[in-house]
Amino acid sequence: MSGRQKVLLIALAVLLVVLWVVAVAGRRDDPGDPAAGPGPLARLGRGAGAVDPATVTVACVPPAAAPTTTADGVVVGFGATCRLRVADPGALRTLVLRGVTPFEVTARAPGDADVTVTDEVTAGPDGATVAKVAVDRETEVVLRCPGGGGCTVTVARS
């Protein structure tokens, strides 16, 4: 075994001991305090979350009733097509769209990719239709109602 291999083996052993010490020191036997914050792991999810419905503007064809704001978000009713313009969220966020009838959603993929994604959103096991669109900059999302019979979609807070 060469000298370089011995040094690497010793460094690996030291790293394993340090990781074991950190794991033992961080162990808790109590159930925790529900009033305390989520802890250091919450930093990993910082910046994640849903798009604020107030930052979404709506233009539908044919024009439908004005969107209404509820506790759940902004409710948009439309006949055939509706364009949602999402303001720049400043970080990667999720635009959550909830409906009770099937609808189609088309949006540009986040990042520098030149890709447009289209999905036909159908009811899940609970009967609700939910689409989640990743947004990292100002984006236009197109909603279409199959058959043009009219759809209602909520731009949800979560």
Side-chain angles (χ1 to χ4, degrees):
M1 185 181 289
S2 71
R4 184 179 277 173
Q5 289 175 331
K6 287 179 186 178
V7 170
L8 183 61
L9 189 59
I10 291 171
L12 181 61
V14 169
L15 176 66
L16 287 174
V17 169
V18 168
L19 288 174
W20 181 81
V21 169
V22 168
V24 169
R27 189 182 73 178
R28 293 176 58 162
D29 292 328
D30 65 334
D33 180 11
L41 289 180
R43 285 187 221 126
L44 295 175
R46 190 179 321 159
V51 169
D52 180 8
T55 64
V56 178
T57 57
V58 180
C60 298
V61 176
T68 56
T69 303
T70 66
D72 296 331
V74 176
V75 179
V76 179
F78 61 98
T81 304
C82 201
R83 294 185 185 279
L84 307 177
R85 166 104 36 222
V86 181
D88 186 359
L92 183 63
R93 301 274 192 249
T94 304
L95 176 66
V96 181
L97 304 169
R98 298 182 187 278
V100 292
T101 59
F103 61 93
E104 184 179 291
V105 61
T106 302
R108 187 169 176 202
D112 294 332
D114 189 20
V115 176
T116 300
V117 180
T118 299
D119 187 24
E120 294 177 9
V121 184
T122 58
D126 60 353
T129 54
V130 179
K132 295 183 178 182
V133 180
V135 177
D136 65 347
R137 61 179 173 265
E138 184 176 342
T139 305
E140 185 174 274
V141 177
V142 178
L143 302 177
R144 289 186 185 84
C145 191
C151 290
T152 301
V153 174
T154 300
V155 180
R157 297 185 192 289
S158 61

